[in-house]
């Protein structure tokens, strides 16, 4: 039985862009000799999109199936790079019989650095760069995790620049509540365009994210403004893996 279960999530398993985040995190875990495991084909969706879209029945079926599996393997601690999985496993599984210590990958990486298991190379990868962090709704406002991702950015020898709407006052990327999987209602602007404007206003070279859905929405926003050459969208795990020369 491993020390920690890495819950990959649907995006991290199937989305080509999010797979790179999964690989970056695995590189970090392997480098630090963390004793971890994945469920592989036994892993199923946590049920978050179903619940947010209002289908409580499907959510509970998914959740109970996952809980039976996790309890069967006597899982105690889970790490995930997806705040949706993080929030659901941490806050909604306990009442259905699944109680685990659940941490976000930024918290785990911060712990690995603080305990000296991971050291960042002095390679100047991000020297002189401006990085802004977009707070995922289910990491920030839902679970009060604001400092771990920012502490990691500050270790990169880069300048952390905040958007005017950040932390408790952050703005959604537009993908939450299962909105990722449907067309937008009529309006005069997409939410991800509005949020990308906030990021571009900071003159940041990199928009850092801690969620695969936010990553997709912000990447689409950057493409909308044809700024792909000037602004990169990267997950915190990718920034750290690059800085550690992994």
């Amino acid at each position: 039985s491993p020390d920690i279960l890495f819950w990959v999530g649907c995006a991290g398993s199937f989305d080509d862009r999010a797979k790179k985040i999964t690989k970056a995190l695995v590189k970090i875990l392997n480098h630090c000799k963390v004793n971890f495991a994945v469920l592989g084909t036994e892993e199923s969706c946590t049920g978050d999109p179903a619940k947010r879209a209002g289908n409580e029945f499907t959510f509970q079926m998914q959740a109970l199936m996952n809980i039976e599996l996790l309890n069967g393997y006597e899982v105690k601690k889970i790490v995930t790079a997806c705040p949706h999985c993080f929030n659901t496993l941490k806050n909604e599984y306990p009442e259905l019989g699944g109680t685990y210590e659940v941490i976000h990958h930024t918290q785990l990486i911060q712990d690995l650095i603080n305990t000296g298991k991971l050291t960042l190379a002095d390679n100047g990868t991000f020297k002189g760069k401006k990085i802004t962090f977009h707070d995922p709704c289910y990491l920030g406002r839902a679970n009060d995790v604001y400092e771990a991702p920012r502490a990691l950015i500050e270790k990169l020898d880069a300048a952390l620049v905040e958007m005017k709407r950040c932390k408790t006052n952050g703005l959604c990327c537009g993908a939450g509540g299962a909105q990722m999987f449907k067309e937008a209602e009529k309006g005069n602007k997409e939410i991800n365009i509005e949020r990308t404007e906030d990021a571009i206003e900071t003159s940041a070279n990199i928009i850092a994210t801690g969620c695969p859905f936010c990553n997709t929405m912000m990447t689409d926003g950057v493409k909308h403004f044809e700024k792909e050459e000037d602004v990169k969208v990267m997950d915190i795990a990718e920034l750290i893996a690059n800085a550690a020369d992994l």
Side-chain angles (χ1 to χ4, degrees):
S1 60
D3 297 336
I4 196 159
L5 175 82
F6 172 25
W7 187 278
V8 183
C10 303
S13 302
F14 300 116
D15 180 81
D16 285 343
R17 175 65 187 88
K19 284 179 198 171
K20 293 176 182 172
I21 301 169
T22 303
K23 286 173 181 169
L25 181 55
V26 168
K27 276 181 188 168
I28 293 167
L29 295 173
N30 284 336
H31 176 76
C32 299
K33 297 183 169 53
V34 175
N35 175 20
F36 77 100
V38 294
L39 290 171
T41 53
E42 289 187 282
E43 184 185 297
S44 180
C45 179
T46 58
D48 164 81
K51 186 178 182 78
R52 304 296 159 227
N55 194 335
E56 184 66 25
F57 178 68
T58 299
F59 162 71
Q60 291 205 10
M61 277 174 41
Q62 284 291 120
L64 291 169
M65 189 169 65
N66 288 329
I67 288 165
E68 188 179 346
L69 184 70
L70 292 167
N71 291 350
Y73 282 123
E74 297 182 1
V75 169
K76 301 282 184 288
K77 187 172 182 179
I78 301 173
V79 65
T80 179
C82 174
H84 296 259
C85 299
F86 168 73
N87 179 67
T88 306
L89 292 165
K90 181 174 184 275
N91 298 324
E92 285 162 1
Y93 274 31
E95 64 189 34
L96 295 169
T99 306
Y100 319 102
E101 182 191 349
V102 187
I103 57 170
H104 187 249
H105 71 315
T106 55
Q107 295 171 309
L108 178 67
I109 296 168
Q110 186 187 26
D111 187 53
L112 290 171
I113 290 175
N114 289 348
T115 53
K117 291 177 184 163
L118 180 64
T119 50
L120 302 186
D122 190 15
N123 57 11
T125 313
F126 300 105
K127 196 171 182 65
K129 293 266 198 284
K130 283 185 179 177
I131 303 177
T132 189
F133 180 67
H134 163 74
D135 288 287
C137 299
Y138 282 113
L139 187 64
R141 293 196 301 279
N143 287 288
D144 285 332
V145 178
Y146 296 110
E147 293 318 312
R150 287 175 170 82
L152 293 174
I153 290 170
E154 282 168 355
K155 288 189 169 30
L156 294 175
D157 207 14
L160 172 63
V161 289
E162 295 286 8
M163 292 183 238
K164 60 178 189 275
R165 288 182 276 199
C166 64
K167 300 187 180 176
T168 50
N169 191 37
L171 179 70
C172 178
C173 71
Q179 296 292 315
M180 179 86 178
F181 307 105
K182 57 180 273 299
E183 292 302 316
E185 289 87 357
K186 283 188 170 53
N188 57 12
K189 191 194 281 185
E190 294 271 12
I191 293 180
N192 67 315
I193 303 301
E194 173 99 0
R195 188 54 172 160
T196 306
E197 284 174 352
D198 287 356
I200 289 171
E201 267 178 33
T202 66
S203 306
N205 311 103
I206 298 168
I207 301 171
T209 59
C211 169
F213 296 118
C214 296
N215 193 300
T216 299
M217 300 304 271
M218 299 307 281
T219 301
D220 287 351
V222 170
K223 283 178 185 163
H224 173 84
F225 290 109
E226 297 181 352
K227 295 266 189 191
E228 297 106 308
E229 294 303 311
D230 312 320
V231 184
K232 301 284 177 241
V233 182
M234 295 177 76
D235 188 86
I236 296 278
E238 295 175 310
L239 295 172
I240 296 296
N242 281 354
D245 272 344
L246 303 183

